[in-house]
Amino acid sequence: MNLLLAPMEGLLDFTLRDVLTRAGGIQRCVSEFIRITDMLLPERVYQRVMPELANGGFTPAGIAVRGQLLGSDPACLADNAARMVAMSPHGVDLNFGCPAKIVNRHGGGASLLDDPELLHRILAEVRRTVPAGTVVSAKMRLGTQDDSRALDCARALADGGAMEIVVHGRTKLQGYKPPAYWARIGEVREAVNIPVIANGEIWSVADARRCLAESGCRDLMLGRGQVADPGLALAILHDQAVNHANDARAPALSWPEVLQLFAAYWGIVRAHIVPRYQAGRLKQWLQHLRRRYPEAELAYQALRTEQNAERLATTLLGEHASVPFDGRFVGPTGAGRYTAGFAAAPPPLPATHPSNGRFLQGIQSEQSERHRGVRPEERAAERAGAAAQDA
């Protein structure tokens, strides 16, 4: 079984990918989308979104990252895919699932699901242009307004050369409103002869069980559920390993263990995000953790108006807030609570780990210090003179 970490624009960037892959259980990540319009992007754009490219395409915990492209022009997507592949990501993923209005208004994401023929041309052109051994995958929803073309879209992607499809079990119109239609993902799986990975509304081990049963899929992609519960992937793998031997919840990360991860996150944010946005990043993740941890709810309510990242971190983490991050995580792995093989210690951290400031070497020279590690929406807020948003 493979568990993938979903791309989540505006939330799950390289900083959170680093920490969530340290927690264990995730076998592959997909980057946030890189928007392709009418030009061949310079390498620095890929490096900004995927700084893991400087580390062989791996997170510091040794987990592979696949680069995702979003656009609608087959030739331009293909040229940019070829450029990205030359930088050694672990494959190319094409986004046909983003439901955001601003993306769909400009002919990207889920809006393309109204045109299966275009999907086929995009896949075929990318497949023709990148080296033969390159993995090319796609992510789609069930449709735009309804799911009547779901099977046609999946067949178009597979026939065009996709080697794997992730299906989010909702339409563009349904957005992120529950439920996700896992059984419909199963119908897509039966319509194509390539692997299909199920995605959507997987918040718990019980959700994962039902999704696997209803979709018939072997692999899952986790998004908001993994952000809210960093131990979810390990718990799902544990549950599958014991073959549902009991109905009790699989072992979960305790709040002190989550705080270890949060301390690591603070170390990475402090090293790579400009100060004015650091507090917003910390509160954004803390807000998501509220769904799983009552302690996070209490902390968020106490700190939601705090704008100083140093004070926020010190209040939440105490003396650990000022300890330099050394790249270690001694949570459930050290406690030995999980099945051997699923929670093995990550490989030694590379010399270019972000804690020593060299992870982005060669990238930072291409960016202004003012905008180092700042996401596009944060730059827009700055240009408008607005404060960083607390998601």
Side-chain angles (χ1 to χ4, degrees), residues 285-305:
W285 192 22
L286 190 61
Q287 183 188 43
H288 283 270
L289 290 169
R290 294 160 63 194
R291 183 180 179 112
R292 171 69 179 81
Y293 294 94
E295 300 93 336
E297 173 66 29
L298 294 173
Y300 181 80
Q301 293 304 328
L303 296 169
R304 64 191 303 267
T305 61

Side-chain angles (χ1 to χ4, degrees), residues 96 119-120 123 138 140 152-162 165 194:
F96 305 114
L119 299 183
H120 182 274
L123 260 295
M140 60 173 277
D152 290 338
C153 289
R155 292 188 185 107
L157 295 173
D159 292 345
I165 302 174
I194 60 174

